[in-house]
Amino acid sequence: MPSYRAPVEDTLFLLNDVLGFHRHANLAGFSEASRDVVEAVLSEGGKLADEVLAPVNQVGDVEGCTREADGAVRTPKGFKAAYDAYARGGWMGLSVPEEYGGQGLPHTLNTAMQEFASGANLALGMYPGLTQGAMAALLVHGSEAQKTTYLPKMVEGAWTGTMNLTEPHCGTDLGLLKTKAVPNGDGSYALTGTKIFISAGEHDLSENIVHLVIARIEGAPAGTKGISLFVVPKFLVEADGSVGARNGVSCGSIEHKMGIHGNSTCVMNYDGATGWLVGQENRGLAAMFVMMNEARLAVGVQGLGQSEVAYQNAVAYAKDRLQGRALTGAKEPAKAADPIIVHPDVRRTLMGIRAFNESARALMLWTALQSDISHRSEDAKERQTADDLLGLLTPVVKGVLTDRGFANAVEAQQMFGGHGYIEEWGMSQFVRDARIAMIYEGANGIQAMDLIGRKLPKDGGRAMMAFLGEVQAFIEAHEDAAMAPFTGPLQAGLKDLQGATMWLMQNAFAKPDNAGAAATDYMHLLGLVAMGYMWARIAKAAAAKPGDARMEAKLVTGRFYMERTLPETATRLARIKAGADTTMALAAEAF
Amino acid sequence: MPSYRAPVEDTLFLLNDVLGFHRHANLAGFSEASRDVVEAVLSEGGKLADEVLAPVNQVGDVEGCTREADGAVRTPKGFKAAYDAYARGGWMGLSVPEEYGGQGLPHTLNTAMQEFASGANLALGMYPGLTQGAMAALLVHGSEAQKTTYLPKMVEGAWTGTMNLTEPHCGTDLGLLKTKAVPNGDGSYALTGTKIFISAGEHDLSENIVHLVIARIEGAPAGTKGISLFVVPKFLVEADGSVGARNGVSCGSIEHKMGIHGNSTCVMNYDGATGWLVGQENRGLAAMFVMMNEARLAVGVQGLGQSEVAYQNAVAYAKDRLQGRALTGAKEPAKAADPIIVHPDVRRTLMGIRAFNESARALMLWTALQSDISHRSEDAKERQTADDLLGLLTPVVKGVLTDRGFANAVEAQQMFGGHGYIEEWGMSQFVRDARIAMIYEGANGIQAMDLIGRKLPKDGGRAMMAFLGEVQAFIEAHEDAAMAPFTGPLQAGLKDLQGATMWLMQNAFAKPDNAGAAATDYMHLLGLVAMGYMWARIAKAAAAKPGDARMEAKLVTGRFYMERTLPETATRLARIKAGADTTMALAAEAF
């Protein structure tokens, strides 16, 4: 059976030695997050992931969810107990303000825990993950009454949350949505319509489910300007906060999916369900975007989680499986063959995944830290800088970490030869589960368009200029020989990113298709450089700890990234500069 | 439900106008394969794939194979009828010599049909595919008695074939195998052992199954020098050729796999089963390699087949699904939204897959043609040249076409957004089915090692020198302005390939790990250039037919390849030149 061990030690190194987490003690919640507290929190979280969530991962895949004739949905054996342990541990409200029952700790720590949960059991981790997304939207846009009604129960884990956006005919293009909301005259609305792909839409883990639903109020303008956000509980809430009558929302069916079988993906039918407006009328999309940005980061983290667990199991197999001899002569002559980890092509694969995982984790935590700063700093300038960076990096974390996370799971599966294709070994599940992360919360092509069409040109390109400036300044501040293997390649990658950005400025405004055709490559180019920057910062921290074997390994792994992963920027740049001509030339009928 | 249409027209164009198939009328079987005959054969084959094999593809995935308590295996509903239609059509023996009941037509046509069958229904296509592989080994290494006993029945499809190599503890490293063969004293042997991952090992499609099994004769040398090949029929064959008593071989269990559910993947138990030596004692691996080379080409073709069917379904969805508006303004203002094929990022994906498919098909047919020439030419020099090229390109066709074929299936699935993740849409099956082709018949890392360690240095690098020379000569012969968009980038790619080859000559002999660490990138680099060469030849043929819309589309698609796919050679070269240092530096314990 596959196993998982949360990368607690690596996370602590990144927070303490690379990202300067503790320099932010001035931010709300950070002074409570001392070194000891952070270590205790992450160790506990890692233990929960390793010992409670991971052991029910494979059974969740095999058993899946079951919808009963009455519309109730049963989760796989062991999920309820594991979920309860998660909720009891206080993880749901780790970074929720204390006034609503949370612990008010930095979101950065919550993000680290999301990686552990996603790596251990993606399908199970989604139930709390969606609840946290729903809480984020209520925190920002909910009325005080809504917050006090829903948040404490959700923090407890007694109630869970969902996001209801997609309809059969609209996913990306939400302006087309048809679910309608009719005022009941008492401040509430009656919602009617069908939502699809609703993760955790119905299940047996919690006593109530808090659906956040976008719908069109009768008479609202067409398109995205007429969308409002509503909160629609599965069971209506009594005045005393207890669970009351069943609301008019039910699960019509669950989907048979490629992976994440342990998570119920529901068609939700709203038949005059009672809901309450969250935030302003017709401003629902903006409210939903709050939730989506947080959710997008969380999904990027899922890509990393699956890459990490796939890597760990591939390493174990590569050390155990005896096949062939090292090219340089037998390494274990007493055995019938050497373990396959002696083979350079196996090493290449493992080093490639590892070099990704360690820098992706740094990028994830750095981005999460910007989220904390942007929300918690009292300095407007600092908030703006962090918010710029957060906006710029969110599509990169979502798009690149899930594209590469999936590809890495495939490469790790490949290590197993034929056994990788057999379900009982577990590698197939990592691949199938990782696949969803490229799709939901905005397919990765949409992330790329968000980056190139919205985040890049915003405020005259301020965010990108700041990022380029920060990386350049780091390179210039570290021109010593020890850092040259990192700063040299990083400079070359940065030049490609600058070249691509310049090319877009000159060619995309007049011809928007040039931006569209460049979007995915640009997103990956930025990801390559951002992770290269992370490696340079990791290398600096590692070099400061000579004699530590773990740090020596970091330096080797970082050089591998610089020599073998980062050079991909050249190809990305060439594609971007090719423009949209051949991409767009054919008539649709020619396909 | 997904659909499939065999690319008959494109195949005919490649054979007739690009590869000069009909210039080889001097080869045995080619004069019978006139233009009319080829068109008739491929049209019939395409029809069978579209109308008989494809309709049972999805049911095969959902239902899978079932092993009964007595060890019998039931294939999915509809498989038997589809298989019978395939056999009745004479496809099994298309290129088998007429003396054994075949049609003696070129193997190139058989390869084209393999693409159609693989695209329509990979799991079903494997039953005849393995039979053809087994026939190939018997044709080359079997005794005349073995040929007349088995081949006519296999050509008919009344009996099918399998390849039994893998054991629980050995896949790649066959020297470790334990299955033993004890002489019975009557010229036959008693085989005892366990084989795993035996595709089509047991099923209900044929009245007998001809297992080709490698085993160690009692007292044989250790390692690969002590391996012999045996033929072991499921039912012993009576003197009159009819099916007799059950042999001591049975299916112990079938695997629960990620995909190709319609093909039975069996654990085969040999309990003193009666077998007969094929070829010479202790020369079994060489005999098996004959079968494997043919099988490797066929597996590469499977990668293309899945890429093609995934592409076709993605195109249909992209034209149908309405979401968002074109960046350049509404293309279908009367509808609620434009079809997503207007979006550059969707186009980029479709063009990328298409540019691969069309050149991969050319590469596959060109390689198959070398196989025909190497077997059928009466000119020793011509045979040698073709055999060199065949050997060089076989690992590329297997490794690159399956790596990219899988990646393309994933990209095509991505077009569908959330629907791509739902099994009923069929895109998940293409991804899951395509995944196996990267693994079996030698995992792709093994293909890369075969290329760099065996095929490249063989005969002083003669094959590679000839390939480089042929591409260079083509470029120099086509320096006109019309061909410049093709020959210019091809020259750049060729330069990278030459650079990588030179670097290996200088750095791999002294340090073999440099070759091992470069292998996968070198295989893909050669694949990129070989497909670029195919595009240049296609472009030349297309340019000769002005005014033909299909040819105009070829020219655009080829330029897309040159501008956006081929530049990846630069990254591959950079990785190769990085050498093995960081790849091999860490101790195994550091992972």
XYZ file of all heavy atoms in Angstrom, chain B residues 503-515:
105
model
N 28.390 15.787 -28.591
C 28.670 15.874 -27.149
C 28.728 14.468 -26.540
O 29.607 14.174 -25.732
C 27.591 16.715 -26.459
C 27.917 16.990 -25.013
C 28.623 18.047 -24.512
C 27.593 16.158 -23.880
N 28.750 17.932 -23.148
C 28.124 16.788 -22.724
C 26.904 14.955 -23.733
C 27.984 16.258 -21.443
C 26.765 14.419 -22.460
C 27.298 15.064 -21.326
N 27.804 13.620 -26.977
C 27.788 12.248 -26.451
C 29.042 11.492 -26.859
O 29.630 10.754 -26.066
C 26.550 11.510 -26.954
C 25.244 11.887 -26.252
C 24.052 11.308 -26.998
C 25.247 11.408 -24.802
N 29.474 11.676 -28.121
C 30.680 10.994 -28.572
C 31.873 11.385 -27.719
O 32.753 10.578 -27.442
C 30.964 11.320 -30.041
C 30.007 10.604 -30.995
S 30.132 11.230 -32.704
C 31.842 10.803 -33.077
N 31.877 12.650 -27.308
C 33.021 13.140 -26.534
C 32.919 12.857 -25.036
O 33.921 12.870 -24.340
C 33.181 14.652 -26.761
C 33.626 14.975 -28.179
C 33.402 16.433 -28.548
O 32.710 17.156 -27.833
N 33.972 16.855 -29.659
N 31.703 12.649 -24.554
C 31.527 12.592 -23.099
C 30.910 11.317 -22.535
O 30.876 11.150 -21.323
C 30.672 13.786 -22.643
C 31.358 15.109 -22.883
O 32.233 15.499 -22.107
N 31.003 15.763 -23.973
N 30.413 10.458 -23.405
C 29.666 9.316 -22.872
C 30.510 8.057 -22.750
O 30.224 7.210 -21.911
C 28.439 9.042 -23.721
N 31.533 7.926 -23.568
C 32.305 6.694 -23.507
C 33.093 6.620 -22.205
O 33.089 5.610 -21.520
C 33.217 6.557 -24.725
C 32.432 6.401 -25.995
C 32.383 7.409 -26.938
C 31.699 5.237 -26.222
C 31.631 7.270 -28.084
C 30.945 5.092 -27.380
C 30.912 6.112 -28.316
N 33.740 7.743 -21.863
C 34.522 7.759 -20.631
C 33.616 7.720 -19.402
O 33.986 7.206 -18.357
C 35.397 9.013 -20.596
N 32.425 8.251 -19.543
C 31.535 8.339 -18.381
C 30.125 7.930 -18.807
O 29.321 8.769 -19.227
C 31.553 9.785 -17.860
C 30.899 9.923 -16.511
C 31.100 11.320 -15.948
C 30.184 11.504 -14.747
N 30.224 12.870 -14.239
N 29.840 6.642 -18.700
C 28.554 6.128 -19.209
C 27.330 6.801 -18.588
O 26.275 6.886 -19.229
C 28.594 4.639 -18.828
C 30.026 4.320 -18.593
C 30.688 5.581 -18.138
N 27.468 7.283 -17.353
C 26.316 7.960 -16.741
C 25.875 9.186 -17.546
O 24.712 9.583 -17.500
C 26.646 8.385 -15.303
C 26.537 7.212 -14.326
O 25.938 6.179 -14.700
O 27.031 7.346 -13.197
N 26.825 9.798 -18.264
C 26.453 10.936 -19.109
C 25.484 10.516 -20.211
O 24.625 11.301 -20.619
C 27.695 11.568 -19.745
C 28.386 12.546 -18.817
O 27.751 13.138 -17.936
N 29.689 12.720 -18.995
N 25.670 9.297 -20.687
C 24.723 8.786 -21.692
C 23.383 8.464 -21.039
O 22.325 8.834 -21.543
C 25.295 7.535 -22.367
